[in-house]
Amino acid sequence: MTKILAIETSCDESAAAIVEDGLRILGSKVHTQIAIHAEYGGVVPELASRSHTERVLPVIQAAMKEAGCQLNDLDAIAVTNKPGLIGSLLVGVTAAKAIAFSLGKPLIGVHHIEAHLYANAFEHGELQFPCVGMAVSGGHTSLYLGRSPVSWEVIGQTIDDAAGEAFDKVAKLLELSYPGGPIIEKVAMNGNPHAIEFPKSMLGKDSLDFSFSGLKTAVLYACRGKTARNSSDNQLIVKVEDAAASFQKSVCDVLCIKALKAMEQYNVKNLYVGGGVICNKELRRSLEESLKSKGLKVFYPRPSLCTDNAVMIAGLAYHHYLNQNFLGLNAGVG
Ligand code: KG4
Ligand code: ZN
């Protein structure tokens, strides 16, 4: 039995988890900073890292308590070391280094986005390879070709905003709360997704890259008029529900088209998705619908493992542990 403690502080959640053999969750705690960043409509990096310094040790202690685990029971310490906000990553990595050094146990660095995809293993058992992975979060929108739990090749990514970031910015201009994804999903339920025809940026016939900044500007102009420069200029001139539903449809359509294209280009049958935006039920429904007719399968984790957590970090870390893929105590971040 291999017990790994994982720490996650790459963005606005301080999280810790203990997982046995990559799949059995013994303890997991997440402290979210949503209340800190809500008034700014997005994550403020300096506030995020300050909060992590206060919360990282308490979440580790709480997760260890839940797991009924002593520090000496641990076989390795894992931490998200990329990608993320540098100041935030540094807090988790420094804590992990200190624990690993004091216990004389190996230190494992985990890629945050690869871990979002690995989160599917907790729902569906070990991932089947080769596969396509699609990570859709507040900071990333990327497609990967997965060959093993520790081998992921980027085959497409956003050239500007991430899909979650677009949800957050559009929510702000529709005067909705932060984070934007859940509230847009809720409001969209009472709107007409065909009310406004928003652009779907494809970036070329075979491209697997994404672009959401044009869509965000299109929503601004449609909702506040062509003279608007930011979310507070002019009155809203459309029904918020219709704008939310039409925007959500445009994002879902692009994600479905690109995911399908990636699976066809690389001739794979399984799509594993992850990241906060995958909580969106309309996105799940449209992915299922577009893949089913082609005989392809889509998998996603439960919502609590879609948003940032340390369970996914500990899970993927187990495969790095098996490969003896360890970090030195002088390792950097990002
Ligand atoms: O993966 P995550 O927790 O953090 C990052 O690594 O970025 O994703 C957070 C993002 C936010 O942008 C949030 O608005 C979005 O996920 N999100 C959603 C939903 N729930 C969270 N987007 C669309 N629909 C949702 N239901
Ligand atoms: Zn994330």
Side-chain angles (χ1 to χ4, degrees), residues 57-250:
L57 295 181
V59 293
I60 294 170
Q61 282 159 348
M64 291 289 285
K65 194 169 168 204
E66 185 176 281
C69 212
Q70 304 298 316
L71 284 172
N72 277 324
D73 300 334
L74 299 171
D75 295 286
I77 314 301
V79 63
T80 305
N81 65 338
K82 63 182 164 213
L85 302 169
I86 295 295
S88 292
L89 286 168
L90 268 173
V91 177
V93 168
T94 308
K97 282 181 181 177
I99 299 171
F101 176 69
S102 65
L103 297 175
K105 297 285 159 82
L107 176 69
I108 300 168
V110 176
H111 191 287
H112 180 84
I113 308 299
E114 295 174 4
H116 267 304
L117 302 175
Y118 184 79
N120 280 287
F122 292 94
E123 223 59 67
H124 312 288
E126 288 298 346
L127 275 51
Q128 294 164 42
F129 295 96
C131 67
V132 165
M134 183 165 72
V136 198
S137 73
H140 302 271
T141 305
S142 318
L143 282 161
Y144 287 81
L145 177 64
R147 295 190 179 89
S148 85
V150 294
S151 170
W152 296 93
E153 180 193 339
V154 179
I155 53 174
Q157 59 194 326
T158 181
I159 60 164
D160 41 56
D161 291 350
E165 191 180 353
F167 269 95
D168 295 336
K169 288 177 176 170
V170 165
K172 197 172 175 185
L173 75 87
L174 294 178
E175 295 168 4
L176 300 170
S177 55
Y178 174 85
I183 186 75
I184 287 193
E185 178 175 11
K186 192 165 166 223
V187 168
M189 281 173 191
N190 297 316
N192 173 7
H194 303 285
I196 310 165
E197 198 59 43
F198 284 129
K200 297 181 189 113
S201 179
M202 290 301 153
L203 300 171
K205 193 164 104 2
D206 297 323
S207 172
L208 297 177
D209 288 336
F210 301 89
S211 166
F212 293 105
S213 69
L215 169 61
K216 184 188 64 194
T217 310
V219 178
L220 175 68
Y221 289 161
C223 295
R224 298 202 178 254
K226 284 268 182 259
T227 56
R229 297 181 136 261
N230 64 54
S231 58
S232 54
D233 282 359
N234 309 345
Q235 295 281 313
L236 278 172
I237 51 177
V238 292
K239 251 180 86 185
V240 171
E241 291 82 356
D242 287 347
S246 303
F247 160 77
Q248 180 175 267
K249 180 178 182 337
S250 173

Side-chain angles (χ1 to χ4, degrees), residues 8 10-11 13 112-113 116 137-140 275-276 306-309 312:
E8 155 64 44
S10 67
C11 189
E13 266 90 25
H112 180 84
I113 308 299
H116 267 304
S137 73
H140 302 271
C306 284
T307 48
D308 286 352
N309 66 87
M312 63 184 192

Side-chain angles (χ1 to χ4, degrees), residues 5-8 13-18 25-32 55-67 308-311:
L5 162 68
I7 303 169
E8 155 64 44
E13 266 90 25
S14 313
I18 299 91
I25 304 169
L26 304 182
S28 169
K29 289 286 168 206
V30 180
H31 173 264
T32 178
R55 292 298 178 152
V56 70
L57 295 181
V59 293
I60 294 170
Q61 282 159 348
M64 291 289 285
K65 194 169 168 204
E66 185 176 281
D308 286 352
N309 66 87
V311 166

